[in-house]
Amino acid sequence: MLLCELVLQVSLSLLVVQDEAVLGHTTIAFTAHQGRSISSFCTGRGDCYPTQGGKDTRVSLFQDMSLQLSPVQESDFVLWHCEQIRKEEFKKTYRLHRVFISTTPAVIVGDSLSLDCKVEPSSVEVDVSWIPPVQVNADCTRQETFSSKVSISAVTLCHSGTWTCKLQYLQRVTQENKTIFVIDLAPSPSDPIYTSVSPSSSVDIPCSLSSQMPLSLLNEIGLRGGNWSISPMAGGNSKSQSLLSLNLGEPLRWVPTPGANITVTGREFTGLDLSIRNLPVSEKIRGVYTCSLMFQTRTLTRKVKLEVLRISSSALGSPVTEGQNLNLTCTLGHANSPDLLVKWKCFSCPSESQSHPSLLSIPIVTMQHNGWVQCELWKNAQMLTSAELFLRVVKAPVDVWLYVAISSGVVVFILLMVIIVIYVRKYKQMLMYRRRKTRFCCCEDQQPKGFYRT
């Protein structure tokens, strides 16, 4: 059987197949109306060998008698003739029809999307339809097919992916794929990010584009800028401040904002990652972080809440003297929500130490308390983060005790002297009183009207 087939590697193709019996040696030739030709020699057993390729390297004739055009050019939309040269000649004519696809490579989430796939007028009836992307997200409701025109008023991530324009004609099917990128930021973490203050600790604040795409598309659809900013927790008095701004040059790069209170390192975009990396942990980085990309039509934002756990001591960071009272507080800088649980770990702490969900109180510090104290933050049987504090306990110096003893002796001596002085004064006052006292007596021979001096 003889097979003449026209195959297109690029764009859409309309294929026509013609079968004819081959007897003896046969030469097959494809000829365009401008005079371009390519031929092949076939044996009686059906083996065919290309004999002429012409000067057009885009055109190839294979052993199975299929003609390939790659890539398709405007000059290819002409009549093509498949001709069998033998005693009984056979000739078949093919016409290459244009298929017009109107799409956009990328669209911002929430904007409108229009797709159009149409074929130039011909005598062949062609059924055109769009097949939407295959969805892996269970939240997306997939529509099986669309007509030749697709119009979506507000696109979502469910519309991102490969759209297929399908053409059915003469019991044949051909199709063309177009990838549509829906630009959006990936969802923020549903819960806050928890970290703790410790030496050389750092944290990443996540932000990224929702799907893989060439970064050059961002500029093509009107990227105007971007930034990272931080806002204080609820109840804070300070205002939001910018940390990073987007440099639109090549490559795209985050640049630190001058005068920011928090030190953030600038960096280039890597893939689709827009995150803040290796942010040093301290109490001042607590807050709500906002990642923004500004386009001509809308601004995309995501917010990430960062909580920092820390152990604070009533000793204000200095060594704790043996015998001192000590309070340790494990806090996020504000009242904990009811679903958060604080657990203390202090292997050297005596069992009689009183504890509170966020407070560890030690009435009398001893040398047993010297070492690490750990505070863990839990939620739903899962540890979120932990903080540590090294408790350094020192013995009271000898000179201090001596000073205390001398001071106590002096105080006791002064009190004794005061008591003695008071007693002596009281005694003298009593003697003086007795000397001034006048004595009277009653005579045996009474005289009228009263008493007389003896």
Side-chain angles (χ1 to χ4, degrees):
M1 302 296 290
L2 174 62
L3 176 64
C4 292
E5 185 175 5
L6 182 63
V7 182
L8 304 183
Q9 286 292 95
V10 179
S11 186
L12 295 175
S13 60
L14 301 181
L15 307 181
V16 181
V17 179
Q18 178 68 33
D19 293 341
E20 288 292 335
V22 178
L23 300 176
H25 297 290
T26 305
T27 299
I28 305 297
F30 271 97
T31 307
H33 82 290
Q34 300 99 327
R36 290 181 294 165
S37 65
I38 184 170
S39 60
S40 178
F41 176 76
C42 297
T43 66
R45 295 191 303 270
D47 299 326
C48 299
Y49 305 95
T51 59
Q52 180 181 353
K55 297 180 179 181
D56 195 343
T57 57
R58 299 180 304 104
V59 182
S60 302
L61 185 62
F62 297 105
Q63 187 173 349
D64 62 354
M65 290 300 99
S66 61
L67 181 68
Q68 175 180 282
L69 305 176
S70 177
V72 176
Q73 295 182 353
E74 183 66 26
S75 59
D76 296 329
F77 292 95
V78 294
L79 292 176
W80 288 82
H81 307 284
C82 176
E83 185 175 2
Q84 175 182 286
I85 303 174
R86 50 176 294 189
K87 292 181 179 180
E88 297 179 3
E89 293 186 0
F90 168 80
K91 190 174 184 180
K92 181 68 177 180
T93 301
Y94 301 88
R95 181 177 181 85
L96 190 60
H97 293 275
R98 295 177 180 86
V99 177
F100 302 95
I101 299 180
S102 175
T103 65
T104 180
V107 62
I108 303 174
V109 65
D111 285 355
S112 61
L113 173 64
S114 297
L115 304 175
D116 191 8
C117 183
K118 59 183 179 180
V119 183
E120 65 179 354
S122 69
S123 58
V124 179
E125 183 178 353
V126 182
D127 181 31
V128 183
S129 61
W130 280 101
I131 302 175
V134 176
Q135 298 297 337
V136 296
N137 190 346
D139 296 333
C140 297
T141 302
R142 185 176 185 271
Q143 184 173 339
E144 291 299 326
T145 57
F146 291 83
S147 63
S148 61
K149 291 185 178 181
V150 177
S151 181
I152 302 173
S153 59
V155 297
T156 65
L157 291 179
C158 297
H159 302 113
S160 182
T162 301
W163 289 76
T164 301
C165 177
K166 181 180 179 181
L167 288 83
Q168 295 177 291
Y169 60 98
L170 299 177
Q171 298 181 348
R172 290 180 173 84
V173 176
T174 188
Q175 59 189 26
E176 173 73 358
N177 296 329
K178 291 293 181 181
T179 301
I180 306 297
F181 296 102
V182 177
I183 297 178
D184 193 13
L185 296 177
S188 301
S190 56
D191 294 326
I193 296 176
Y194 292 91
T195 186
S196 61
V197 178
S198 61
S200 303
S201 61
S202 62
V203 65
D204 297 337
I205 313 297
C207 182
S208 65
L209 295 173
S210 59
S211 57
Q212 294 287 337
M213 69 183 69
L215 291 179
S216 59
L217 289 178
L218 298 178
N219 289 325
E220 292 182 14
I221 63 173
L223 178 64
R224 295 191 295 111
N227 64 61
W228 270 102
S229 62
I230 180 175
S231 302
M233 296 291 187
N237 297 323
S238 57
K239 297 181 180 179
S240 173
Q241 63 170 319
S242 176
L243 301 177
L244 295 171
S245 59
L246 183 60
N247 186 344
L248 298 180
E250 291 290 341
L252 295 174
R253 181 179 181 85
W254 287 120
V255 179
T257 302
N261 294 332
I262 300 176
T263 303
V264 185
T265 304
R267 68 180 189 90
E268 295 180 3
F269 279 22
T270 53
L272 306 178
D273 186 17
L274 313 178
S275 305
I276 295 178
R277 295 292 181 186
N278 301 321
L279 179 65
V281 177
S282 64
E283 286 186 283
K284 66 181 181 181
I285 70 170
R286 290 188 182 111
V288 179
Y289 291 77
T290 303
C291 172
S292 302
L293 286 181
M294 285 82 76
F295 296 89
Q296 291 181 354
T297 57
R298 65 183 65 240
T299 297
L300 305 177
T301 61
R302 290 293 183 271
K303 294 182 181 295
V304 181
K305 186 177 182 181
L306 179 65
E307 297 276 18
V308 180
L309 185 70
R310 182 178 180 179
I311 300 178
S312 58
S313 169
S314 59
L316 301 177
S318 60
V320 183
T321 304
E322 186 180 16
Q324 181 179 345
N325 175 278
L326 181 65
N327 291 323
L328 300 178
T329 305
C330 184
T331 177
L332 295 171
H334 56 82
N336 294 345
S337 58
D339 57 347
L340 294 179
L341 176 65
V342 173
K343 295 182 179 180
W344 290 93
K345 282 189 176 181
C346 179
F347 297 104
S348 59
C349 292
S351 58
E352 64 269 13
S353 296
Q354 300 298 318
S355 64
H356 185 267
S358 60
L359 176 67
L360 178 66
S361 180
I362 305 176
I364 300 177
V365 176
T366 65
M367 294 303 298
Q368 290 180 317
H369 297 96
N370 189 75
W372 288 98
V373 178
Q374 187 180 55
C375 163
E376 297 177 347
L377 189 65
W378 290 73
K379 179 179 180 180
N380 299 330
Q382 179 181 4
M383 189 178 73
L384 303 176
T385 187
S386 63
E388 293 182 339
L389 176 68
F390 186 80
L391 195 60
R392 183 185 174 192
V393 181
V394 296
K395 288 182 174 294
V398 177
D399 55 346
V400 173
W401 289 113
L402 182 60
Y403 174 79
V404 172
I406 294 175
S407 300
S408 301
V410 171
V411 171
V412 172
F413 176 77
I414 293 174
L415 289 176
L416 289 175
M417 293 300 296
V418 170
I419 293 173
I420 293 173
V421 170
I422 293 175
Y423 177 78
V424 171
R425 292 185 65 182
K426 289 288 185 181
Y427 181 76
K428 290 182 177 180
Q429 289 178 358
M430 185 179 296
L431 291 177
M432 293 297 293
Y433 174 76
R434 288 180 178 179
R435 290 176 181 177
R436 292 196 304 266
K437 185 174 179 181
T438 303
R439 296 182 179 182
F440 296 91
C441 64
C442 183
C443 297
E444 293 181 0
D445 298 330
Q446 296 186 359
Q447 296 182 7
K449 296 184 180 179
F451 294 91
Y452 298 91
R453 187 179 299 273
T454 62

